[in-house]
């Protein structure tokens, strides 16, 4: 019941925003600002969107030859747009195809520096809530399904489990993966705030790779993630 109530709330908020946009088209941008400022939204958190990898570190390469970093950025930008539309505050660790390292002359050193910078951004953000976006890969092409990893910080496990269940219900009822603590994942080991790392799917699986490339599936993923985050922020 809780899920139904919260998705209804999400639909309502979404509906109001669509009305705001329509009003904006008719009345000008001022109307959108006025309406969205008056939405009953909990601005308790700064949502940090972290598209994994970037620049010289492309992450995994899909079975169709596309770098993971590209999918991560596309999905994170869509999430950024969606949260803005709904009136939430966000910041992104990167908005283009770059590494955010500040030190190092070799690629390996730069990768370490890049990860440290991401951790720093997260831990220095007051009331930060992290969503790190990645894609999975495995040598066997038939592996599939989104999976959520979480750090050992307050609320993260519950948030990850709720998001994993929403992913199963809304994207792939056959997905029986479970949310796991991200042991050995540097970003999650060092994180001091609540957050999740979302492996949206396996880009080594031709079916899932093809889906992950589409606007429609990327938007569906974003809607599910945003819904879980809004549930958490509304009732942490
Ligand atoms: Zn990755």
């Amino acid at each position: 019941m809780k899920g139904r109530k919260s998705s209804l709330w999400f639909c309502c908020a979404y509906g109001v925003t669509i009305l705001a946009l329509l009003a904006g088209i008719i009345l000008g941008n001022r109307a959108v600002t006025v309406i969205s400022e008056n939405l009953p939204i909990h601005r308790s958190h700064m949502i940090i969107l972290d598209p994994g990898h970037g620049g010289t570190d492309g992450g995994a390469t899909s079975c169709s030859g596309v770098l993971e970093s590209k999918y991560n950025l596309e999905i994170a930008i869509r999430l950024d747009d969606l949260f803005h539309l709904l009136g939430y505050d966000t910041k992104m660790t990167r908005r283009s195809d770059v590494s955010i390292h500040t030190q190092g002359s070799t690629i390996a050193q730069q990768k370490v520096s890049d990860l440290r910078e991401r951790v720093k951004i997260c831990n220095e953000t007051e009331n930060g809530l992290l969503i790190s976006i990645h894609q999975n890969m495995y040598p066997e092409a038939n592996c599939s399904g989104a999976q959520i990893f979480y750090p050992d910080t307050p609320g993260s496990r519950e948030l990850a489990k709720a998001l994993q269940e929403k992913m199963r219900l809304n994207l792939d009822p056959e997905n029986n993966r479970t949310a796991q603590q991200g042991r050995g994942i540097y970003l999650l080991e060092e994180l001091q705030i609540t957050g999740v790392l979302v492996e949206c799917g396996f880009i080594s699986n031709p079916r899932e790779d093809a889906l992950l490339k589409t606007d429609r599936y990327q938007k569906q993923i974003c809607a599910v993630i945003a819904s879980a985050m809004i549930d958490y922020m509304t009732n942490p």
Side-chain angles (χ1 to χ4, degrees), residues 22-171:
L22 288 173
I25 292 164
I26 297 162
L27 304 170
N29 283 338
R30 177 81 193 125
V32 176
T33 310
V34 170
I35 294 171
S36 67
E37 275 172 2
N38 288 311
L39 279 172
I41 285 170
H42 295 250
R43 289 190 175 81
S44 53
H45 292 82
M46 170 65 79
I47 300 163
I48 305 166
L49 298 163
D50 173 47
H53 314 282
T56 50
D57 170 21
T61 303
S62 83
C63 54
S64 58
V66 182
L67 291 175
E68 181 198 340
S69 53
K70 183 170 186 286
Y71 296 81
N72 298 343
L73 185 60
E74 285 173 359
I75 293 168
I77 287 175
R78 285 187 197 281
L79 268 174
D80 190 49
D81 289 345
L82 180 54
F83 279 120
H84 271 255
L85 192 69
L86 296 170
Y88 289 90
D89 297 323
T90 63
K91 70 161 80 160
M92 294 187 72
T93 55
R94 67 178 178 98
R95 286 201 68 92
S96 57
D97 184 21
V98 292
S99 160
I100 60 164
H101 65 272
T102 53
Q103 293 176 334
S105 49
T106 67
I107 289 174
Q109 288 166 344
Q110 289 171 358
K111 189 168 173 175
V112 170
S113 170
D114 169 86
L115 284 172
R116 281 192 183 139
E117 287 303 313
R118 291 177 202 242
V119 168
K120 196 169 155 221
I121 289 169
C122 294
N123 289 346
E124 288 179 356
T125 300
E126 201 175 335
N127 298 319
L129 179 63
L130 172 70
I131 308 169
S132 186
I133 300 292
H134 285 256
Q135 314 301 318
N136 224 333
M137 83 165 299
Y138 197 71
E140 286 167 30
N142 61 350
C143 271
S144 67
Q147 188 165 21
I148 317 301
F149 292 86
Y150 57 88
D152 185 15
T153 55
S156 296
R157 180 168 176 270
E158 294 73 17
L159 173 61
K161 288 182 88 156
L163 176 54
Q164 184 76 55
E165 179 61 5
K166 275 185 193 281
M167 288 286 206
R168 186 182 70 75
L169 285 172
N170 295 289
L171 295 177

